[in-house]
Structures are given as C-alpha cells and as structure tokens.
C-alpha cells in the first residue's frame, strides 16, 4: 500500500533535490565515487493528503499505512528525487525494512537499468547504516550524502555518529521537533519509560531532559517541582545542532517546515565535514534562486 504524506513534504523534497544537485556538481570532476544513502527510504512514491494536520499515531513512533482522506496527487519520494538529479551519484543505497516498500524500491533497479547502480537493503535504518559504514565505503575512494528522514524519533544518534566517524559523509536530517519529539514531553516531566529511552537514543544521552525541564524547591518542606521550560523547543534544537557540529565539524542554520496553516512541523538540518558544503546547504536552506559558485577541487 502506498504511503501518505502531507503537502508540506514537497518543500522538504525540493530542498533535498537542490542540495543533491549542488553536491554532485561540486564533485563531478573529482576522483571519488559518490554514494547516496537513504536511511528511511519508503517506497519511492507517496500519496499527498489534503488534510492540513500531520498524522498522529498512538505511540508516536510508527508510520501508518493508511489515513481516511481523499487523495488527489502522487509525489515522488526521496529515492526518485535522488535518482532524478542531473548528475547522478555513482551508487544509491536505499534502506527500508517494510517488505512491500522494499519491493517497490527493488523495482527501481529494473526501471533505471544500467544507468544507476542501486542497492536496496531490507533492514532497519540502524542496521543498514552500519552495513554502509563498515562494508560499502573506503576512505580513499568514496564521498557521500545520507538523507535521514525518519517518521517520529526513530533515528538513533549512534547511527548519525557512525556516519560522522567515517569523515566521508554529509547528512541532511529531519529533526522532527513538533511532529514527534514535543509530543513525548509531558508538562509535569513524568516521561513514560519507553519514550524516555527513545529520546535517549535519539539525542545520544539523557541531556535532553535538562534542556526541557527545570526543578525548583518550594514550600515549607522544600519539595521539588519539575516544570517545563518556556524555551525548551529552542533548547532542544540547539542541543541537536551542537551534537551535529561536534560530530561532523559544520552544521547549517535550521530550515523550519510548516504545514499549510503555518503551524511548525520539523526542521531540516545539514551537517558535514567541509565548509563548502555548509555554504551550499545554508544557501539552499534559505531557498535562494542561485547556487553559490563552485571552486574546482573543493567540497
């Protein structure tokens, strides 16, 4: 069954296409083999919902297959966006554990034939990224971009760190602050264990808790009250950006994606080991009409 997305997905995919086009143009005449990794690839196409609000699921973690709403449009997902750029990557790795969606992705191999080298991994994202970083690359031969676009908070920091540790990858990340993370943070600080463990894996530590909550003693017996900080959303975003900068070296300004009513949903972030990539990413995330000039031999 075809997955469904909100109309705001178009903006995200347009930004992705612009950056991938920029990246492959920069490296077009360089000796490296370029690798595109889509860690949460989906099935390659999706139906666009008419509804303004994002899907809400009971555990805030699973991707739903269906939603009761009229469908009026199909949208190429990130795998087809990446395959369709003018200067293609040397190799594409699509990671998708759901059998039906992985089967759709496997169909892309036949559709594109010898014009694209495509590998589809029927694995969870963490296992697929581990395979890429340990078996699919060599430091002397490869450079790559990983698109990390999970539904909810399914992205584990250990996977992001492993990409950074190679020194070869740039990442484009969906930081799902309003669509998922904020919904897992009750006002009283009593975060369910499963959600807390998920957030620990997402941020790589329990540091997120102190960015969201403050505690103060009050009353005759100095009881402690935990309160949600007024600026917790900003603090979480900056925590994640700090983590990315520490891991990769450079991190972009965030690009806020909103729904059709203007309500904030998530941020797109770029991180990578080269300043030239940062310059391109920042320009594109601001949705400029022209790309910066590319110096030969720079990345």
């Amino acid at each position: 069954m075809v997955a469904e997305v909100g109309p705001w997905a178009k903006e995200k995919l347009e930004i992705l296409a612009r950056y991938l086009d920029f990246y492959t143009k920069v490296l077009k005449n360089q000796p490296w083999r370029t690798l595109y990794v889509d860690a949460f690839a989906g099935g390659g196409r999706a139906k666009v919902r008419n509804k303004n609000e994002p899907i809400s699921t009971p555990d805030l973690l699973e991707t739903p297959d269906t939603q009761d709403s009229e469908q009026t449009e199909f949208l190429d997902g990130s795998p087809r966006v990446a395959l369709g750029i003018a200067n293609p990557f040397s190799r594409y790795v699509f990671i998708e554990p759901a059998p039906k969606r992985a089967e759709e992705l496997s169909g892309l191999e036949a559709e594109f034939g010898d014009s694209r080298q495509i590998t589809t991994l029927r694995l969870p994202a963490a296992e697929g990224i581990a395979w890429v970083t340990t078996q699919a690359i060599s430091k002397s031969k490869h450079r790559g971009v990983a698109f990390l676009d999970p539904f909810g908070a399914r992205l584990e920091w250990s996977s992001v760190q492993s990409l950074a540790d190679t020194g070869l990858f740039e990442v484009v990340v969906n930081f799902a602050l309003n669509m998922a993370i904020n919904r897992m943070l009750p006002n009283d600080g009593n975060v369910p264990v499963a959600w807390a463990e998920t957030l620990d894996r997402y941020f790589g530590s329990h540091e997120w808790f102190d960015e969201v909550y403050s505690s103060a003693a009050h009353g005759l017996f100095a009881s402690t009250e935990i309160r949600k900080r007024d600026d917790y959303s900003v603090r979480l975003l900056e925590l994640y950006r700090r983590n990315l900068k520490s891991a990769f070296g450079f991190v972009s300004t965030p690009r806020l994606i909103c729904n059709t009513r203007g309500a904030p949903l998530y941020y797109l972030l770029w991180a990578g080991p080269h300043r030239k990539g940062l310059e391109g990413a920042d320009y594109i995330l601001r949705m400029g009409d022209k790309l910066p000039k590319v110096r030969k031999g720079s990345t």
Side-chain angles (χ1 to χ4, degrees), residues 26-175:
V26 169
L27 296 187
K28 184 177 180 181
N29 297 317
Q30 300 303 311
W32 300 299
R33 285 179 54 79
T34 53
L35 180 65
Y36 173 78
V37 178
D38 201 322
F40 302 85
R45 279 204 176 101
K47 293 179 179 179
V48 179
R49 295 194 309 275
N50 288 325
K51 290 188 175 182
N52 286 313
E53 297 304 322
I55 294 175
S56 176
T57 55
D59 66 359
L60 304 176
L61 300 175
E62 299 294 341
T63 304
D65 285 326
T66 60
Q67 175 80 359
D68 292 331
S69 61
E70 293 183 2
Q71 309 299 332
T72 59
E73 184 181 359
F74 284 90
L75 183 69
D76 282 349
S78 51
R80 287 185 176 275
V81 167
L83 288 165
I85 60 175
N87 297 293
F89 285 79
S90 305
R91 185 180 183 185
Y92 294 82
V93 177
F94 300 137
I95 303 169
E96 176 53 56
K100 290 183 179 179
R101 292 173 184 165
E103 186 176 349
E104 289 180 47
L105 292 172
S106 296
L108 294 176
E109 299 177 35
E111 181 179 338
F112 283 86
D114 296 334
S115 66
R116 304 287 189 274
Q117 183 183 353
I118 301 171
T119 300
T120 300
L121 302 178
R122 298 190 180 192
L123 296 171
E127 293 179 26
I129 290 172
W131 181 87
V132 168
T133 56
T134 59
Q135 300 185 46
I137 57 171
S138 76
K139 194 163 183 110
S140 62
K141 295 180 180 179
H142 293 96
R143 296 292 185 271
V145 176
F147 185 43
L148 308 177
D149 184 29
F151 182 87
R154 284 297 189 188
L155 177 61
E156 297 182 9
W157 180 256
S158 59
S159 295
V160 181
Q161 185 68 59
S162 69
L163 289 165
D165 288 344
T166 67
L168 310 180
F169 277 97
E170 301 178 1
V171 293
V172 178
V173 186
N174 175 343
F175 182 65

